[in-house]
Amino acid sequence: MDNNQQLAGGLQRSRAILAAWFPEVGAGGYTALDGTVEFYGRVQALLRPDMTVLDFGAGRGAGLRDDPVGFRKSLRASRAKSRKSLPAT
């Protein structure tokens, strides 16, 4: 068994454990305790089209690029709802 097969097997076991403890993960890919969904959902609820977002850009954006859950990715995309997004330099 090579490393890729071991990783795939471990990932399947992790998903099975997550689904056993949080069955709602089957409906959208996230749990009721997901802090990312809670935080960015709140931010999106407060944003209006006339607002400008200041993006501090902490990190390489892995959460936005690498997240396998489409709903979480869409919540993180603040540019979609605000009129303007500025990078902090």
PDB file of all heavy atoms in Angstrom, residues 39-51 81:
ATOM      1  N   PHE A  39     -19.211  32.507  11.506  1.00  0.00           N
ATOM      2  CA  PHE A  39     -18.564  33.815  11.384  1.00  0.00           C
ATOM      3  C   PHE A  39     -18.865  34.479  10.047  1.00  0.00           C
ATOM      4  O   PHE A  39     -19.328  35.628   9.988  1.00  0.00           O
ATOM      5  CB  PHE A  39     -17.048  33.688  11.568  1.00  0.00           C
ATOM      6  CG  PHE A  39     -16.317  34.979  11.351  1.00  0.00           C
ATOM      7  CD1 PHE A  39     -16.328  35.969  12.318  1.00  0.00           C
ATOM      8  CD2 PHE A  39     -15.633  35.205  10.167  1.00  0.00           C
ATOM      9  CE1 PHE A  39     -15.665  37.178  12.111  1.00  0.00           C
ATOM     10  CE2 PHE A  39     -14.969  36.404   9.956  1.00  0.00           C
ATOM     11  CZ  PHE A  39     -14.984  37.390  10.933  1.00  0.00           C
ATOM     12  N   TYR A  40     -18.590  33.778   8.953  1.00  0.00           N
ATOM     13  CA  TYR A  40     -18.780  34.395   7.636  1.00  0.00           C
ATOM     14  C   TYR A  40     -20.248  34.583   7.297  1.00  0.00           C
ATOM     15  O   TYR A  40     -20.611  35.501   6.549  1.00  0.00           O
ATOM     16  CB  TYR A  40     -18.058  33.600   6.552  1.00  0.00           C
ATOM     17  CG  TYR A  40     -16.567  33.831   6.597  1.00  0.00           C
ATOM     18  CD1 TYR A  40     -15.719  32.900   7.164  1.00  0.00           C
ATOM     19  CD2 TYR A  40     -16.019  34.993   6.092  1.00  0.00           C
ATOM     20  CE1 TYR A  40     -14.351  33.117   7.228  1.00  0.00           C
ATOM     21  CE2 TYR A  40     -14.653  35.231   6.148  1.00  0.00           C
ATOM     22  CZ  TYR A  40     -13.826  34.282   6.717  1.00  0.00           C
ATOM     23  OH  TYR A  40     -12.481  34.515   6.772  1.00  0.00           O
ATOM     24  N   GLY A  41     -21.122  33.752   7.847  1.00  0.00           N
ATOM     25  CA  GLY A  41     -22.559  33.973   7.679  1.00  0.00           C
ATOM     26  C   GLY A  41     -22.979  35.283   8.319  1.00  0.00           C
ATOM     27  O   GLY A  41     -23.785  36.045   7.772  1.00  0.00           O
ATOM     28  N   ARG A  42     -22.413  35.565   9.492  1.00  0.00           N
ATOM     29  CA  ARG A  42     -22.705  36.825  10.183  1.00  0.00           C
ATOM     30  C   ARG A  42     -22.165  38.011   9.385  1.00  0.00           C
ATOM     31  O   ARG A  42     -22.848  39.030   9.217  1.00  0.00           O
ATOM     32  CB  ARG A  42     -22.070  36.800  11.570  1.00  0.00           C
ATOM     33  CG  ARG A  42     -22.283  38.012  12.426  1.00  0.00           C
ATOM     34  CD  ARG A  42     -23.654  38.067  12.989  1.00  0.00           C
ATOM     35  NE  ARG A  42     -23.994  36.763  13.535  1.00  0.00           N
ATOM     36  CZ  ARG A  42     -24.691  36.560  14.622  1.00  0.00           C
ATOM     37  NH1 ARG A  42     -25.130  37.584  15.290  1.00  0.00           N
ATOM     38  NH2 ARG A  42     -24.972  35.360  15.033  1.00  0.00           N
ATOM     39  N   VAL A  43     -20.945  37.884   8.884  1.00  0.00           N
ATOM     40  CA  VAL A  43     -20.355  38.969   8.077  1.00  0.00           C
ATOM     41  C   VAL A  43     -21.213  39.233   6.848  1.00  0.00           C
ATOM     42  O   VAL A  43     -21.541  40.385   6.539  1.00  0.00           O
ATOM     43  CB  VAL A  43     -18.907  38.635   7.674  1.00  0.00           C
ATOM     44  CG1 VAL A  43     -18.379  39.615   6.638  1.00  0.00           C
ATOM     45  CG2 VAL A  43     -18.003  38.618   8.896  1.00  0.00           C
ATOM     46  N   GLN A  44     -21.610  38.182   6.148  1.00  0.00           N
ATOM     47  CA  GLN A  44     -22.433  38.347   4.941  1.00  0.00           C
ATOM     48  C   GLN A  44     -23.782  38.982   5.271  1.00  0.00           C
ATOM     49  O   GLN A  44     -24.311  39.759   4.485  1.00  0.00           O
ATOM     50  CB  GLN A  44     -22.633  37.007   4.232  1.00  0.00           C
ATOM     51  CG  GLN A  44     -21.390  36.468   3.577  1.00  0.00           C
ATOM     52  CD  GLN A  44     -20.918  37.323   2.416  1.00  0.00           C
ATOM     53  OE1 GLN A  44     -21.658  38.100   1.836  1.00  0.00           O
ATOM     54  NE2 GLN A  44     -19.660  37.169   2.068  1.00  0.00           N
ATOM     55  N   ALA A  45     -24.335  38.625   6.430  1.00  0.00           N
ATOM     56  CA  ALA A  45     -25.623  39.196   6.824  1.00  0.00           C
ATOM     57  C   ALA A  45     -25.509  40.702   7.083  1.00  0.00           C
ATOM     58  O   ALA A  45     -26.481  41.436   6.886  1.00  0.00           O
ATOM     59  CB  ALA A  45     -26.141  38.493   8.075  1.00  0.00           C
ATOM     60  N   LEU A  46     -24.344  41.154   7.518  1.00  0.00           N
ATOM     61  CA  LEU A  46     -24.150  42.571   7.823  1.00  0.00           C
ATOM     62  C   LEU A  46     -23.735  43.401   6.609  1.00  0.00           C
ATOM     63  O   LEU A  46     -23.932  44.617   6.599  1.00  0.00           O
ATOM     64  CB  LEU A  46     -23.093  42.729   8.923  1.00  0.00           C
ATOM     65  CG  LEU A  46     -23.486  42.158  10.280  1.00  0.00           C
ATOM     66  CD1 LEU A  46     -22.290  42.174  11.226  1.00  0.00           C
ATOM     67  CD2 LEU A  46     -24.653  42.913  10.868  1.00  0.00           C
ATOM     68  N   LEU A  47     -23.163  42.770   5.586  1.00  0.00           N
ATOM     69  CA  LEU A  47     -22.695  43.513   4.410  1.00  0.00           C
ATOM     70  C   LEU A  47     -23.861  44.026   3.566  1.00  0.00           C
ATOM     71  O   LEU A  47     -24.860  43.351   3.389  1.00  0.00           O
ATOM     72  CB  LEU A  47     -21.822  42.622   3.526  1.00  0.00           C
ATOM     73  CG  LEU A  47     -20.403  42.390   3.970  1.00  0.00           C
ATOM     74  CD1 LEU A  47     -19.697  41.445   3.009  1.00  0.00           C
ATOM     75  CD2 LEU A  47     -19.635  43.698   4.061  1.00  0.00           C
ATOM     76  N   ARG A  48     -23.666  45.237   3.049  1.00  0.00           N
ATOM     77  CA  ARG A  48     -24.621  45.817   2.102  1.00  0.00           C
ATOM     78  C   ARG A  48     -23.847  46.175   0.833  1.00  0.00           C
ATOM     79  O   ARG A  48     -22.642  46.389   0.866  1.00  0.00           O
ATOM     80  CB  ARG A  48     -25.251  47.068   2.697  1.00  0.00           C
ATOM     81  CG  ARG A  48     -26.121  46.815   3.912  1.00  0.00           C
ATOM     82  CD  ARG A  48     -26.844  48.092   4.356  1.00  0.00           C
ATOM     83  NE  ARG A  48     -25.993  49.281   4.370  1.00  0.00           N
ATOM     84  CZ  ARG A  48     -25.316  49.730   5.430  1.00  0.00           C
ATOM     85  NH1 ARG A  48     -25.368  49.084   6.570  1.00  0.00           N
ATOM     86  NH2 ARG A  48     -24.582  50.824   5.347  1.00  0.00           N
ATOM     87  N   PRO A  49     -24.542  46.248  -0.290  1.00  0.00           N
ATOM     88  CA  PRO A  49     -23.850  46.552  -1.553  1.00  0.00           C
ATOM     89  C   PRO A  49     -23.105  47.878  -1.560  1.00  0.00           C
ATOM     90  O   PRO A  49     -22.144  48.048  -2.304  1.00  0.00           O
ATOM     91  CB  PRO A  49     -24.977  46.559  -2.587  1.00  0.00           C
ATOM     92  CG  PRO A  49     -26.034  45.703  -1.993  1.00  0.00           C
ATOM     93  CD  PRO A  49     -25.944  45.918  -0.495  1.00  0.00           C
ATOM     94  N   ASP A  50     -23.502  48.834  -0.730  1.00  0.00           N
ATOM     95  CA  ASP A  50     -22.840  50.135  -0.720  1.00  0.00           C
ATOM     96  C   ASP A  50     -21.600  50.165   0.171  1.00  0.00           C
ATOM     97  O   ASP A  50     -20.919  51.182   0.263  1.00  0.00           O
ATOM     98  CB  ASP A  50     -23.821  51.223  -0.265  1.00  0.00           C
ATOM     99  CG  ASP A  50     -24.326  51.012   1.145  1.00  0.00           C
ATOM    100  OD1 ASP A  50     -24.596  49.846   1.508  1.00  0.00           O
ATOM    101  OD2 ASP A  50     -24.461  52.006   1.886  1.00  0.00           O
ATOM    102  N   MET A  51     -21.263  49.060   0.813  1.00  0.00           N
ATOM    103  CA  MET A  51     -20.119  49.002   1.729  1.00  0.00           C
ATOM    104  C   MET A  51     -18.831  48.638   0.997  1.00  0.00           C
ATOM    105  O   MET A  51     -18.852  48.028  -0.065  1.00  0.00           O
ATOM    106  CB  MET A  51     -20.367  47.972   2.828  1.00  0.00           C
ATOM    107  CG  MET A  51     -21.444  48.345   3.792  1.00  0.00           C
ATOM    108  SD  MET A  51     -21.629  47.046   5.026  1.00  0.00           S
ATOM    109  CE  MET A  51     -22.434  47.937   6.301  1.00  0.00           C
ATOM    110  N   LYS A  81     -20.782  40.339  -2.408  1.00  0.00           N
ATOM    111  CA  LYS A  81     -21.900  41.112  -1.886  1.00  0.00           C
ATOM    112  C   LYS A  81     -21.588  42.599  -1.721  1.00  0.00           C
ATOM    113  O   LYS A  81     -22.477  43.420  -1.794  1.00  0.00           O
ATOM    114  CB  LYS A  81     -22.344  40.522  -0.552  1.00  0.00           C
ATOM    115  CG  LYS A  81     -23.676  41.018  -0.109  1.00  0.00           C
ATOM    116  CD  LYS A  81     -24.214  40.237   1.052  1.00  0.00           C
ATOM    117  CE  LYS A  81     -25.573  40.773   1.453  1.00  0.00           C
ATOM    118  NZ  LYS A  81     -26.089  40.117   2.623  1.00  0.00           N
TER     119      LYS A  81
END
